[in-house]
Amino acid sequence: MTQSTNPLSRPFNVEELSNKGSRIVVTASPQEMEAIVRAAALEAMESFQVRFELRPWRKTGVKIVGELEADVTQKCVVTLEPLATSMSEEFSITVVPLSEAEKYRVAPNEEGEIEFDLESIEPPEFFEGSTIDLGVVAMEQFMLMLDPYPKAEGVEFPSFTTNPEGIEAADDRPPSPFSVLSKLKKPN
């Protein structure tokens, strides 16, 4: 989790985290929503709010549980008409100081391959210093939740023919790609 040109920033000092945890609500201002619209290539954003619950994890880590709610307008990928969407999803991540990264590093085996256990829990993310930017966490989760191909209800993707121009199939099978090449072949 690195600080960049993120449109939303809410630094939280982990040294202020009590044993009971903390609850923080991040609500984007109109200016921040405009920046999110540009960053996410949206048409508009009506609201953006994330409710965070932060709890200590092991000795130096933080477990972040959140619920993101946003009302956005995207373009339908088929009709290009505006499509209003309400998002409401929960997420959970764990962050630890970068100084502890070595504990979580995955080492290659004897053949030089890295093996992953898909049943195990996700490895934590890392932060530098004593500050976690909850705005960065919110934006990462928002971008993951955002539909990359929004489509209006009832709209179908147009079907395209697989038959290139001028090539007739002898039966119901699609033409061979080599039949297209044979038309391009010059006679001797």
Side-chain angles (χ1 to χ4, degrees), residues 114-186:
I114 296 177
E115 297 177 4
F116 292 98
D117 179 10
L118 298 178
E119 299 296 320
S120 69
I121 61 171
E122 228 176 272
E125 294 190 32
F126 304 103
F127 65 93
E128 289 187 66
S130 61
T131 303
I132 300 171
D133 192 335
L134 296 176
V136 171
V137 173
M139 280 303 297
E140 287 175 354
Q141 296 303 316
F142 174 70
M143 296 303 281
L144 288 171
M145 293 174 188
L146 199 59
D147 186 354
Y149 303 105
K151 188 175 66 147
E153 192 174 320
V155 174
E156 296 295 324
F157 285 105
S159 61
F160 297 100
T161 179
T162 57
N163 189 2
E165 291 181 35
I167 306 295
E168 298 277 333
D171 52 21
D172 290 339
R173 293 180 296 164
S176 163
F178 298 107
S179 63
V180 175
L181 292 175
S182 68
K183 285 209 167 244
L184 298 175
K185 186 177 176 184
K186 294 181 180 177

Side-chain angles (χ1 to χ4, degrees), residues 2-12 26-29 32 35-36 48 52 131-139:
T2 58
Q3 178 69 27
S4 62
T5 57
N6 193 53
L8 190 63
S9 181
R10 297 294 191 282
F12 176 79
V26 173
T27 304
S29 70
E32 289 169 328
I36 294 169
F48 184 96
F52 288 102
T131 303
I132 300 171
D133 192 335
L134 296 176
V136 171
V137 173
M139 280 303 297

Side-chain angles (χ1 to χ4, degrees), residues 24 31 35-36 43 49 70 76 78 94 148 166:
I24 298 170
Q31 296 80 12
I36 294 169
E43 292 294 299
Q49 184 179 67
C76 173
V78 178
T94 304

